[in-house]
Amino acid sequence: MKPSRDIDQLLAIMAALRTPGTGCPWDLEQDFATIAPYTIEEAYEVADAIARNDLDDLCDELGDLLLQVVFHARMAQEQAAFDFGDVVFAICDKMIRRHPHVFGDARGRDVKAVNIAWGEIKAEEKRLRAARRVERGVAPDAGGGRTLDGVPVGLPALTRAIKLQDKAAKVGFDWPDARPVIDKIREEITEVEQEIASGDREAAAGEVGDLLFAVANLARHLGVDPETALRGTNDKFTRRFSAIEDALAEEGRAPSSATLDEMEALWQAAKAGE
C-alpha cells in the first residue's frame, strides 16, 4: 500500500486495523476510554511543536492528532452511533452557524459584536443539546444550567481554573483588576505556611491548591495563559539545570557530588549567560 493525501485512505487504514481476525490485536482491544489519554497526549505534542516553532514536527503531530479523531469515529461507527462523515458535517455546521458575519447576513460586525453573538449562539446550542438529551431519554447534565456547567473536568487543571474563573467573571464574580488578586496570593501563601507549621499535610495540600488557583487568576487578569507561562518556565529550568550538569561534567563530576551552594553558583552563571 502506498501512502496517499486522501483522507479516505486513512479511514480505510483504520477500518483494516479494527477488522476482527485480520486487524491489529492492540487496536482491536481499544475503546473510547483507553484511547482518550492518547488523544490528550497528541494534543499536547501539537502544542509542543508549535512552541518549538518546528513546522516539520507540527505536520507529523497534526497527523497523529487526526488519527485520534479517525480512531474515535471508527469505534463509534462500529456501534452505529456516528461515523467520520458525521463528525465533519457537525463541525462544518457549527462553524457556519457561529460565523453569520462571514457565511450569513450579519456582515460588518466588529469584534465586540461578534463575541456577543458567539456567546448567544453557543447558549442556544446548549439549550438545544439539553432538549435533545431529554428526547433521547438521557439524564440532563448535573447542575441544571448553572454558570459553571460545561467546563470539562478532563482539562488540565490550570486551563480549567481559567475557564471556571472566566465563566464566574461573566456574571460579575471577579476582582476588578490584578492588585487584589496579588493580595489574595499573599493571603494564600500565609495559609500554606500556617498549615505547614501545624503539621497537617492534607490541609497544606488544600491550601497549595488554593494558591495555584489564585496564581491562575492573576495570569488571567494579566492576559497570560498559565499553561504557556509554566511551559516556558519548565523549559528554562531544564536549560539551566542542563548547564549545571554540563559544567560539572567538565570537572568529571555529577550533580550528586556537588553541594547546593556550588549548584546555585552554576545556576546563577547559567542565568547570567542567557
Side-chain angles (χ1 to χ4, degrees), residues 124-150:
E124 176 62 12
E125 289 173 352
K126 183 177 180 180
R127 187 191 67 77
L128 292 174
R129 280 198 304 271
R132 287 196 296 269
R133 287 174 67 89
V134 172
E135 290 175 0
R136 300 198 309 270
V138 178
D141 293 332
R146 292 175 178 155
T147 299
L148 302 182
D149 288 353

Side-chain angles (χ1 to χ4, degrees), residues 193-247:
E193 291 173 334
Q194 290 171 345
E195 297 303 342
I196 291 174
S198 74
D200 190 333
R201 294 178 60 86
E202 184 175 347
E207 296 299 342
V208 169
D210 292 347
L211 174 59
L212 290 171
F213 192 83
V215 171
N217 206 359
L218 176 62
R220 183 178 66 87
H221 273 272
L222 297 178
V224 173
D225 174 43
E227 291 283 347
T228 301
L230 183 56
R231 191 178 300 119
T233 298
N234 288 341
D235 291 343
K236 181 167 56 180
F237 179 86
T238 301
R239 185 172 63 249
R240 292 178 183 175
F241 190 80
S242 295
I244 292 174
E245 288 187 306
D246 292 343

Side-chain angles (χ1 to χ4, degrees), residues 36-228:
Y38 295 100
T39 307
I40 295 170
E41 179 181 339
E42 296 300 349
Y44 273 113
E45 291 184 359
V46 167
D48 178 66
I50 292 171
R52 292 184 285 105
N53 195 30
D54 189 331
L55 296 186
D56 286 339
D57 269 8
L58 179 58
C59 180
D60 287 341
E61 298 302 345
L62 286 172
D64 292 343
L65 185 58
L66 177 59
L67 176 64
Q68 296 298 306
V69 177
V70 170
F71 206 142
H72 285 288
R74 177 64 195 183
M75 291 187 290
Q77 182 177 350
E78 292 166 1
Q79 298 178 22
F82 59 83
D83 61 17
F84 184 77
D86 294 319
V87 174
V88 174
F89 179 87
I91 189 59
C92 288
D93 179 57
K94 181 184 294 183
M95 296 307 290
I96 293 169
R97 185 172 60 251
R98 290 186 179 181
H99 293 82
H101 52 289
V102 177
F103 304 110
D105 56 2
R107 297 179 182 274
R109 288 177 171 172
D110 59 19
V111 173
K112 182 178 179 180
V114 166
N115 288 337
I116 292 173
W118 180 279
E120 292 172 346
I121 292 169
K122 287 188 67 175
E124 176 62 12
E125 289 173 352
K126 183 177 180 180
R127 187 191 67 77
L128 292 174
R129 280 198 304 271
R132 287 196 296 269
R133 287 174 67 89
V134 172
E135 290 175 0
R136 300 198 309 270
V138 178
D141 293 332
R146 292 175 178 155
T147 299
L148 302 182
D149 288 353
V151 180
V153 296
L155 287 173
L158 284 175
T159 299
R160 187 163 189 260
I162 293 293
K163 290 187 175 295
L164 291 170
Q165 292 163 0
D166 275 340
K167 284 207 165 191
K170 288 178 180 177
V171 296
F173 191 73
D174 195 14
W175 301 108
D177 54 52
R179 287 169 295 183
V181 184
I182 294 173
D183 292 337
K184 183 65 176 175
I185 290 172
R186 293 193 180 101
E187 176 188 323
E188 298 297 350
I189 291 173
T190 298
E191 292 178 358
V192 171
E193 291 173 334
Q194 290 171 345
E195 297 303 342
I196 291 174
S198 74
D200 190 333
R201 294 178 60 86
E202 184 175 347
E207 296 299 342
V208 169
D210 292 347
L211 174 59
L212 290 171
F213 192 83
V215 171
N217 206 359
L218 176 62
R220 183 178 66 87
H221 273 272
L222 297 178
V224 173
D225 174 43
E227 291 283 347
T228 301

